[in-house]
């Protein structure tokens, strides 16, 4: 027998098909009922259920309660119902989304009275506890503590509201003292159709795929040759076989169902679209008991639920030939063995959504653009190697016959030294300080512009193929969903300003709240403390970075002075100090990177941005500013400040008493800049890739696994041997966004462009890193992260502006590196203004000034000098008047000539490169010509298709006229049914009679 028990909101229930379509309301009384079997029925069904549990691999049937998914007592339970890990227990309804929460019990006591709250029903209607003879449903779970009870009520209300929105739920039984419960969500066809129309989701029409034709026969022939040559590099996925074909798409409308190719309603919307639709419902579903919070994100923030995620499409390493999108992505994208292949961008977009698809498309384009820059960089480096024997200045420095006696590098302990001892440094500097680096700097500035322009074109092309027109409306809808922290702050403000009755106004729907006054919003006065904290904290962090750079400078100075006291270490002072200082800088940068990321997140939270998009943009700006200063401060110091404030012999600048400011090497600071840049860039990439991106996630996964095994020790062994897909996905790391991936590549883009004049091999190392990075990120997304929600977006957002800013700033930085740090300008000035024969012979002598050693300060003279005691003059690198001049040691005319030439070069270089960049920008249109033509063509095809379908529809309506009246009524009913939202359809059913359907 069946007993009808009235339900409390959110309790487990079974809805009749008719009531289910209306949110579970009884047609007569508007009351929901739960059907519970009497005392004798469970024995019949229990045996059947146990059999099915054995066939499924364990006691799963005893550990599940199914909401809105009940089977009659006399209905057989087939073992096939357990074959799929992606469906409800009926093996028909697909799991579109999963909510997870952790529960904890205090004990179990019988409670006399109404049992509506805590009755847990399994699929056959029996309770999860041993039955008493008192009647149906008389066993109550023990009382929970107040917090757990409150959370349980809030979950029940939220799940009840989800049912009223038309979703169907299935959840586990809370059968242990504590554990995790999964609420599976299925969206039936009528909900998918309703939400797809509301979200204006574009779906393929019945129109056949049409070819996107290339302009001109030459272009078409070239594309065909290119396709044949690149065929071995293409992944074996279906999307790449039709890269020149496109479906005619149109926003979904329930009134125009005859336009679409609906063969099977279960597969018409793919998994990513289904989960996106459910996520939209979860975001806007309110919970009055949880302080009128809006959406699942607020409930997760308040620890009512622990996680919410869509399911992966099965396992990626499952044995057998059964294939799913996840397994295909793993084999053709996430394996290191396919590093040479193109990325299956369309499949990535289909599986993960447009936002992640655009990231990997951008990363792929950036990596491919690094190939020509790497080739040019290697050629420039090889040019330096080939011409090193012909470099006159380095030959003069290495010539021991010149015998340039240089002034001591430190006080007392340092002796005079010969310039020829720095021969190796001078020869190595020529590898990077040669005329080819100027050309390479101009090339890289234009390369950055071309990369950004080509990305805009690719972005437009992908937007056309992915039907991203109209995404602005979705972004506006996303602005309507406030963040949980914002809602909490507003609620606290309202509680402070008025009575608690004002809180009731906060529970009104979002459309009504938009019209409220500023009392329901945060004003600048409310945000001022957060803004002030942001400003002071960022200034403090920047000052901290500069302080650390200064501390490393002090370390270099003191260590160099200490090593100079020992004769054994005196010869390797510069190498030792430079290498250890760069390693210290690298370690500090890596540590501060992690700290600054956490600080930026905290500062953004206390700002209390209203929406997730605003929060993300402000977080990106803060994190980029802090990490930019952190990564590039030591490099900027070496490039533009080291050796500029040293003074001269007899009048040195001292940091502390007895410790002089450090000087550049005899060959200039460019070689040291190259060493600093290469070690920081390579070390940052290797350590972040190998430790932070591989090791840390694996440690987190191991920790979560050990924690789950400890907490779930009483779980059935059979269930642990055959976990469900939601269990497997729950053990994965949650997806936290693309900000870390973008940030890593943006910082690398800065290394490649900002100082490329000093390190032409930077693009080569970036290319090698990115080939691994693409597969590393792919493997992380496919195997180690929960499946992200599919997010539609038309571009990469604020990252493009940051890239554009770095590209423009790189022109200025490279101009100053060439003009100030390298010897390119002094050599030109000497060759064309001071050389007697137009060559660089005598250039080294020209750059060295004289100093009378008798004018050294008392106590700074070298002790135990190995040089001739009759040394009268020593040389130092600078343009100053000699001691015998009327104005000794003042800046000479050569100094002012070189300085004016440097400034002129910066101005000319900057304006020339900027002009060429603008010219390239103007020559390359943002929208490809073929795409703009195809957009116009698609509009024409869409109009023709509409007219044709409307004509066929009118013919169908006119056909019943000669028939009998009964047949006419039947035909009209079938036509009406085709355009109205219907219930669940059987596989293979079609939406409109009289339409020819083809496979999508």
């Amino acid at each position: 027998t069946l007993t009808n028990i009235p339900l409390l909101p959110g309790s487990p229930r079974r809805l009749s098909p008719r009531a289910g379509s209306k949110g579970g309301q009884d047609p007569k009384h508007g009351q929901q009922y739960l059907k519970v079997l009497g005392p004798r029925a469970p024995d019949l069904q229990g045996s059947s259920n146990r059999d099915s549990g054995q066939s499924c691999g364990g006691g799963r049937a005893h550990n599940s309660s199914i909401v809105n998914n009940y089977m009659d007592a006399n209905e057989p339970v087939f073992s096939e119902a357990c074959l799929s890990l992606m469906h409800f227990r009926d093996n028909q309804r697909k799991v579109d989304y999963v909510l997870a929460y952790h529960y904890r019990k205090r004990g179990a006591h019988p409670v006399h009275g109404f049992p509506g709250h805590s009755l847990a029903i399994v699929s056959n209607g029996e309770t999860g506890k041993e039955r008493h003879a008192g009647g149906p449903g008389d066993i109550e779970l023990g009382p929970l503590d107040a917090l757990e009870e409150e959370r349980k009520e809030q979950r029940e209300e939220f799940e009840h509201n989800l049912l009223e929105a038309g979703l169907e739920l299935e959840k586990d039984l809370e059968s242990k003292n504590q554990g995790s419960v999964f609420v599976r969500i299925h969206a039936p066809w009528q909900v998918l159709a309703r939400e797809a129309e509301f979200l204006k989701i574009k779906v393929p029409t019945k129109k056949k795929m049409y070819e996107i034709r290339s302009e001109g026969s030459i272009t078409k022939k070239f594309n065909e040759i290119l396709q044949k040559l690149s065929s071995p590099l293409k992944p074996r996925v279906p999307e790449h076989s039709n890269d020149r074909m496109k479906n005619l798409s149109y926003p979904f409308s329930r009134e125009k169902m005859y336009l679409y190719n609906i063969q099977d309603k279960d597969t018409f919307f793919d998994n990513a679209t289904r989960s996106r639709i459910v996520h939209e419902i979860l975001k806007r579903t309110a919970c009055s008991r949880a302080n009128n919070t809006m959406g699942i994100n607020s409930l997760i923030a308040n620890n009512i639920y622990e996680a919410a995620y869509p399911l992966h499409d099965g396992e990626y390493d499952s044995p057998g030939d059964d294939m799913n999108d996840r397994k295909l992505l793993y084999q053709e994208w996430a394996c290191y063995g396919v590093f040479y292949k193109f990325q299956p961008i369309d499949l990535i977009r289909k599986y993960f959504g447009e936002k992640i698809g655009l990231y990997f498309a951008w990363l792929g384009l950036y990596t491919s653009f690094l190939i020509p820059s790497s080739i040019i960089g290697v050629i420039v480096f090889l040019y330096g190697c080939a011409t090193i024997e012909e470099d006159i200045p380095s030959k003069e420095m290495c010539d021991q016959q010149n015998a340039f006696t240089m002034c001591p590098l430190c006080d007392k302990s340092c002796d005079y030294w010969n310039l020829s001892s720095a021969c190796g440094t001078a020869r190595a500097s020529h590898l990077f300080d040669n005329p080819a680096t100027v050309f390479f700097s101009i090339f890289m500035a234009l390369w950055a512009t071309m990369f950004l322009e080509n990305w805009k074109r690719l972005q437009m092309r992908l937007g056309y193929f992915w039907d991203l027109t109209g995404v602005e409306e979705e972004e506006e809808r996303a602005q309507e969903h406030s963040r949980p922290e914002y809602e909490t702050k507003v609620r606290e403000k309202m509680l402070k300003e008025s009575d608690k009755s004002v809180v009731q106004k906060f529970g009104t729907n979002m459309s009504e709240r938009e019209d409220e006054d500023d009392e329901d919003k945060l004003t600048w006065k409310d945000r001022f403390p957060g803004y002030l904290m942001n400003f002071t904290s960022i200034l403090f962090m920047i000052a901290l970075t500069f302080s650390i750079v200064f501390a490393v400078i002090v370390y270099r100075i003191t260590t160099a002075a200490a090593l100079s006291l020992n004769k054994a270490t005196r010869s390797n002072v510069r190498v030792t100090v430079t290498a250890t200082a760069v390693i210290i800088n690298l370690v500090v940068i890596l540590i501060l990177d992690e700290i600054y990321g956490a600080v930026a997140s905290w500062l953004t939270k206390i700002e209390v941005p209203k929406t997730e998009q605003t929060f993300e943009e402000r977080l990106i700006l803060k994190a980029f500013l802090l990490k930019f200063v952190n990564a590039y401060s030591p490099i900027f110091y070496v490039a533009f400040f080291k050796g500029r404030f040293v003074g001269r012999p007899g009048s040195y600048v001292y940091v502390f008493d007895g410790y002089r400011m450090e000087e550049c090497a005899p060959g200039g600071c460019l070689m040291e800049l190259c060493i600093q840049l290469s070690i920081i860039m390579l070390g940052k990439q290797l350590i972040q890739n190998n430790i932070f991106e591989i090791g840390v996630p694996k440690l987190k996964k191991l920790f979560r696994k050990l924690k789950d095994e400890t907490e779930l020790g009483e779980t059935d062994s059979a269930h642990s041997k055959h976990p469900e897909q939601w269990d497997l996905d729950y053990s994965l790391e949650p997806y936290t966004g693309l900000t870390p991936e973008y940030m890593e590549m943006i910082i690398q883009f800065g290394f490649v462009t900002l100082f490329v004049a000093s390190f032409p091999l930077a693009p080569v190392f970036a290319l090698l890193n990115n080939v691994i990075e693409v597969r590393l990120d792919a493997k992380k997304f496919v195997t180690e992260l929960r499946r992200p929600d599919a997010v539609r977006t038309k571009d990469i957002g604020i990252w493009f502006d940051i890239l554009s800013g770095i590209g423009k700033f790189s022109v200025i930085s490279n101009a100053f590196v060439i003009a100030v740090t390298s010897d390119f300008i002094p050599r030109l000035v000497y060759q064309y203004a001071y050389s007697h024969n137009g060559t660089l012979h005598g250039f080294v002598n020209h750059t060295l000034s004289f100093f009378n050693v008798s004018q050294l300060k008392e106590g700074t003279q070298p002790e135990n000098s190995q040089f001739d005691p009759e040394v009268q003059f020593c040389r130092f690198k600078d343009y100053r008047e000699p001691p015998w001049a009327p104005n000794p040691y003042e800046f000479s005319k050569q100094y002012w000539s070189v300085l004016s030439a440097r400034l002129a070069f910066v101005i000319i270089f900057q304006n020339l490169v900027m002009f060429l960049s603008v010219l390239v920008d103007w020559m390359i249109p943002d929208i490809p010509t073929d795409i703009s033509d195809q957009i116009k063509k698609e509009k024409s095809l869409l109009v023709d298709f509409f007219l044709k379908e409307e004509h066929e529809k009118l013919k169908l309506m006119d056909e019943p006229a000669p028939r009998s009246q009964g047949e006419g009524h039947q035909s009209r009913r079938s036509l009406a049914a085709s355009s109205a939202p219907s219930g669940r359809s059987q596989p293979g059913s079609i939406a409109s009679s009289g339409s020819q359907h083809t496979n999508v």
Side-chain angles (χ1 to χ4, degrees):
T1 59
L2 292 172
T3 307
N4 286 335
I5 300 175
L7 288 176
L8 288 182
S11 299
R13 69 209 66 200
R14 178 189 180 185
L15 304 179
S16 64
R18 181 175 56 180
S21 63
K22 298 181 181 180
Q25 300 295 328
D26 186 271
K28 293 183 180 180
H29 306 289
Q31 175 66 52
Q32 297 171 336
Y33 285 92
L34 174 65
K35 294 188 178 181
V36 183
L37 291 171
R40 292 189 300 177
D43 295 332
L44 298 173
Q45 184 69 8
S47 61
S48 170
N49 205 33
R50 281 191 295 271
D51 294 341
S52 68
Q54 292 173 359
S55 65
C56 296
R60 174 184 168 190
H62 302 287
N63 294 332
S64 297
S65 70
I66 299 184
V67 181
N68 211 11
N69 184 24
Y70 296 92
M71 292 177 284
D72 295 332
N74 55 359
E75 182 180 349
V77 181
F78 297 101
S79 60
E80 297 88 350
C82 300
L83 294 178
S84 175
L85 302 179
M86 303 283 297
H87 292 76
F88 281 8
R89 281 190 56 81
D90 58 9
N91 203 24
Q92 293 183 2
R93 286 174 286 179
K94 187 181 297 183
V95 177
D96 297 317
Y97 219 87
V98 175
L99 307 180
Y101 65 89
H102 190 82
Y103 71 92
R104 177 171 53 87
K105 297 181 181 178
R106 288 283 183 86
H109 302 279
V111 179
H112 302 286
F114 180 65
H117 265 285
S118 54
L119 185 65
I121 306 298
V122 293
S123 61
N124 56 5
E126 67 175 313
T127 60
K129 291 281 184 179
E130 182 183 354
R131 264 183 179 64
H132 291 254
D138 59 356
I139 297 300
E140 289 288 341
L141 298 179
L144 305 175
D145 61 283
L147 181 61
E148 286 293 326
E149 182 66 28
E150 182 183 1
R151 288 176 178 173
K152 180 179 180 181
E153 292 175 355
Q154 292 168 359
R155 285 193 294 265
E156 288 176 345
E157 184 199 354
F158 184 73
E159 290 163 14
H160 167 72
N161 292 338
L162 293 180
L163 287 170
E164 296 227 338
L167 298 176
E168 297 175 3
L169 310 181
E170 174 186 84
K171 68 186 297 185
D172 295 333
L173 175 69
E174 299 179 5
S175 59
K176 298 181 287 292
N177 289 332
Q178 66 173 355
S180 297
V181 171
F182 299 98
V183 181
R184 277 86 67 188
I185 303 176
H186 168 76
W189 169 256
Q190 61 267 25
V191 174
L192 294 173
R194 180 191 71 208
E195 296 297 322
E197 183 174 5
F198 172 70
L199 297 173
K200 297 182 179 178
I201 295 177
K202 286 191 172 184
V203 295
T205 61
K206 290 186 294 185
K207 173 70 177 177
K208 296 283 187 181
M209 297 175 68
Y210 64 93
E211 182 180 2
I212 299 177
R213 303 186 181 278
S214 303
E215 290 292 333
S217 58
I218 300 177
T219 307
K220 185 177 181 180
K221 193 70 176 176
F222 176 76
N223 287 333
E224 290 177 356
I225 297 173
L226 195 62
Q227 291 291 331
K228 291 179 181 179
L229 293 176
S230 62
S231 58
L233 304 179
K234 291 186 177 181
R236 296 190 301 270
V237 295
E239 281 71 14
H240 275 264
S241 60
N242 292 323
D243 55 354
R244 301 296 301 173
M245 306 293 290
K246 187 180 183 300
N247 270 311
L248 193 63
S249 301
Y250 186 73
F252 189 85
S253 172
R254 288 174 289 180
E255 296 180 355
K256 296 182 174 62
M257 298 280 281
Y258 55 88
L259 296 176
Y260 313 111
N261 188 13
I262 305 176
Q263 278 196 323
D264 186 353
K265 293 181 180 179
D266 290 336
T267 58
F268 181 68
F269 295 106
D270 58 32
N271 291 344
T273 305
R274 294 174 70 99
S275 63
R276 176 179 155 222
I277 288 173
V278 175
H279 184 62
E280 287 291 333
I281 298 176
L282 291 173
K283 284 198 299 185
R284 69 167 188 261
T285 302
C287 182
S288 60
R289 294 192 182 187
N291 295 321
N292 297 300
T293 55
M294 180 69 69
I296 186 63
N297 293 333
S298 300
L299 298 179
I300 292 176
N302 294 326
N303 296 318
I304 297 169
Y305 287 98
E306 192 174 347
Y309 52 91
L311 290 181
H312 278 293
D313 288 358
E315 298 185 53
Y316 63 89
D317 56 354
S318 59
D321 297 332
D322 57 316
M323 188 62 66
N324 56 62
D325 286 346
R326 187 187 187 192
K327 191 173 182 180
L328 189 60
L329 283 172
Y330 178 75
Q331 294 178 355
E332 295 294 326
W333 180 50
C335 289
Y336 293 109
V338 294
F339 72 93
Y340 60 92
K341 290 188 177 182
F342 297 130
Q343 298 184 87
I345 294 298
D346 291 326
L347 185 59
I348 297 170
R349 170 253 180 178
K350 175 188 173 186
Y351 192 80
F352 292 110
E354 283 76 7
K355 188 171 186 178
I356 295 176
L358 283 175
Y359 163 71
F360 281 103
W362 174 85
L363 181 58
L365 182 69
Y366 171 50
T367 304
S368 63
F369 258 73
L370 285 173
I371 296 175
S373 61
S374 299
I375 295 174
I376 302 297
V378 170
I379 293 175
V380 169
F381 178 74
L382 293 178
Y383 171 81
C385 296
T387 58
I388 192 170
E389 298 296 336
E390 302 173 5
D391 183 46
I392 297 176
S394 61
K395 289 170 67 176
E396 288 184 348
M397 287 183 65
C398 295
D399 188 2
Q400 296 184 1
Q401 296 180 357
N402 288 330
F404 294 112
T405 303
M406 306 298 292
C407 295
L409 295 175
C410 62
D411 296 343
K412 290 186 179 180
S413 58
C414 294
D415 197 0
Y416 303 106
W417 56 286
N418 284 322
L419 185 61
S420 59
S421 62
C423 174
T425 306
R427 290 170 65 87
S429 297
H430 179 73
L431 299 177
F432 305 99
D433 188 3
N434 55 70
T437 57
V438 180
F439 158 76
F440 190 55
S441 300
I442 298 175
F443 169 80
M444 287 302 295
L446 299 179
W447 173 89
T449 303
M450 292 188 66
F451 163 64
L452 294 177
E453 289 302 313
N454 276 272
W455 167 245
K456 286 193 286 187
R457 290 169 60 85
L458 178 60
Q459 197 169 248
M460 288 298 302
R461 188 177 295 275
L462 293 177
Y464 168 68
F465 278 100
W466 294 352
D467 294 318
L468 293 180
T469 54
V471 174
E472 295 84 356
E473 299 179 6
E474 297 182 25
E475 294 175 349
E476 290 176 3
R477 279 197 300 272
Q479 296 289 340
E480 298 175 1
H481 300 292
S482 300
R483 297 179 63 249
E485 293 81 358
Y486 181 85
E487 293 182 352
T488 303
K489 198 75 174 178
V490 173
R491 191 180 304 112
E492 291 174 356
K493 174 187 175 183
M494 296 168 65
L495 285 172
K496 289 180 182 178
E497 292 180 351
S498 57
D499 298 329
K500 291 186 178 181
S501 59
V502 181
V503 181
Q504 302 299 324
K505 180 172 64 174
F506 188 80
T508 57
N509 57 47
M510 294 298 294
S511 61
E512 294 175 352
R513 288 170 58 194
E514 291 293 331
D515 300 331
E516 296 293 335
D517 296 330
D518 287 342
E519 62 181 356
D520 287 0
K521 300 176 182 178
L522 295 182
T523 61
W524 69 271
K525 294 181 181 179
D526 302 315
R527 299 178 185 271
F528 181 75
Y531 289 151
L532 183 62
M533 178 63 73
N534 269 263
F535 181 73
T536 54
S537 299
I538 291 175
L539 285 182
F540 172 76
M541 293 297 167
I542 294 175
L544 176 64
T545 304
F546 291 160
S547 301
I548 292 174
V549 172
F550 180 73
V552 175
I553 295 172
V554 173
Y555 161 80
R556 294 159 64 111
I557 295 171
T558 54
T559 305
L563 292 176
S564 299
L565 296 175
N566 191 342
K567 293 182 179 180
T569 58
R570 192 174 295 173
S571 59
N572 299 320
V573 169
R574 192 176 296 277
V575 176
T576 305
V577 171
T578 300
T580 54
V582 171
I583 293 173
I584 292 173
N585 274 326
L586 174 62
V587 174
V588 170
I589 286 172
L590 293 175
I591 294 174
L592 289 183
D593 251 1
E594 300 302 312
I595 295 175
Y596 286 168
V599 169
S601 178
W602 175 72
L603 290 176
T604 311
K605 287 178 181 176
I606 65 175
E607 251 187 278
V608 199
K610 183 176 181 180
T611 63
E612 287 293 341
Q613 183 177 353
T614 308
F615 178 87
E616 184 180 9
E617 289 179 352
R618 295 184 181 181
L619 172 62
I620 289 170
L621 284 176
K622 292 182 183 65
F624 173 73
L625 175 62
L626 293 175
K627 292 190 176 187
F628 182 91
V629 173
N630 178 42
Y632 298 123
S633 292
I635 301 173
F636 269 97
Y637 164 72
V638 174
F640 304 124
F641 298 101
K642 185 178 179 181
R644 313 293 169 197
F645 311 101
V646 178
R648 60 172 179 82
S651 181
Y652 283 113
V653 176
Y654 288 86
V655 181
F656 301 111
D657 186 25
Y659 294 102
R660 292 174 4 198
M661 281 292 293
E662 58 180 346
E663 302 179 43
C664 289
C669 280
L670 194 69
M671 188 61 198
E672 188 174 343
L673 174 62
C674 174
I675 296 172
Q676 183 111 359
L677 186 66
S678 59
I679 292 180
I680 291 178
M681 179 181 178
L682 293 176
K684 200 169 185 296
Q685 291 179 348
L686 291 175
I687 294 176
Q688 280 189 337
N689 284 351
N690 295 324
I691 297 180
F692 295 156
E693 290 198 21
I694 298 178
V696 173
K698 288 188 180 297
L699 289 176
K700 287 183 178 180
K701 187 176 181 180
L702 179 62
F703 177 75
R704 289 170 63 91
K705 185 178 180 181
L706 294 175
K707 183 180 177 183
D708 292 341
E709 288 178 356
T710 304
E711 292 181 351
L712 305 177
E714 54 187 74
T715 308
D716 275 339
S717 60
H719 178 69
S720 61
K721 290 180 182 177
H722 302 278
E724 300 289 358
Q725 188 63 46
W726 43 86
D727 292 307
L728 297 172
D729 288 3
Y730 181 70
S731 65
L732 300 176
E733 281 293 307
Y735 167 73
T736 56
L738 290 169
T739 300
E741 277 72 25
Y742 271 117
M743 188 67 69
E744 182 184 350
M745 290 295 104
I746 295 297
I747 296 297
Q748 185 203 84
F749 183 78
F751 280 121
V752 170
T753 56
L754 291 176
F755 302 99
V756 74
S758 62
F759 189 40
L761 295 180
V764 178
F765 293 112
L767 175 63
L768 296 176
N769 173 80
N770 286 9
V771 170
I772 302 173
E773 180 72 20
V774 170
R775 307 303 162 179
L776 184 67
D777 285 348
K779 191 171 185 179
K780 181 171 66 174
F781 273 88
V782 173
T783 66
E784 297 177 3
L785 295 181
R786 293 174 190 161
R787 187 172 185 174
D789 294 305
V791 178
R792 283 171 62 83
T793 183
K794 61 180 180 178
D795 50 36
I796 61 174
I798 196 173
W799 295 111
F800 183 84
D801 299 327
I802 294 175
L803 284 168
S804 181
I806 291 177
K808 290 180 173 59
F809 186 63
S810 68
V811 177
I812 302 173
S813 66
N814 280 300
F816 276 97
V817 166
I818 296 171
V820 176
T821 312
S822 74
D823 282 338
F824 178 74
I825 298 300
R827 292 184 183 190
L828 280 181
V829 172
Y830 175 79
Q831 185 174 1
Y832 293 105
Y834 297 99
S835 176
H836 298 293
N837 53 8
T839 64
L840 289 176
H841 288 287
F843 171 73
V844 174
N845 184 52
H846 178 76
T847 59
L848 298 177
S849 299
F850 288 89
F851 180 75
N852 191 342
V853 298
S854 62
Q855 297 177 356
L856 286 172
K857 289 184 178 181
E858 188 68 26
T860 62
Q861 296 91 345
E863 297 177 349
N864 303 320
S865 175
Q866 302 295 323
F867 278 72
D868 188 353
E870 296 182 358
V871 172
Q872 295 182 350
F873 299 99
C874 64
R875 310 294 294 272
F876 64 98
K877 190 173 182 179
D878 205 348
Y879 293 101
R880 291 183 181 269
E881 296 289 347
W884 54 82
N887 298 314
Y889 308 126
E890 294 293 329
F891 287 118
S892 62
K893 294 180 180 179
Q894 290 90 336
Y895 171 82
W896 299 110
S897 301
V898 171
L899 179 62
S900 58
R902 282 172 168 166
L903 294 177
F905 174 82
V906 169
I907 296 173
I908 294 172
F909 182 90
Q910 177 183 342
N911 285 278
L912 174 64
V913 175
M914 287 292 185
F915 169 75
L916 293 176
S917 300
V918 172
L919 183 63
V920 170
D921 188 1
W922 175 75
M923 292 177 63
I924 302 176
D926 293 346
I927 304 177
T929 307
D930 59 333
I931 295 300
S932 59
D933 293 341
Q934 292 298 330
I935 291 174
K936 299 174 184 177
K937 178 184 177 182
E938 186 170 308
K939 291 180 180 179
S940 175
L941 288 173
L942 200 59
V943 171
D944 295 340
F945 174 67
F946 277 174
L947 292 176
K948 180 181 178 181
E949 290 297 322
E950 288 291 335
H951 182 64
E952 291 183 1
K953 181 181 177 182
L954 291 176
K955 286 173 64 177
L956 285 174
M957 295 179 67
D958 293 340
E959 279 180 5
R963 298 182 185 176
S964 62
Q965 187 175 0
E967 292 176 345
H969 286 302
Q970 184 177 358
S971 177
R972 290 187 183 93
R973 282 198 302 269
S974 65
L975 183 62
S978 68
S979 58
S982 58
R984 183 178 183 84
S985 65
Q986 298 299 323
S989 62
I990 56 177
S992 61
S993 57
S995 298
Q996 299 287 334
H997 294 283
T998 57
N999 290 327
V1000 181

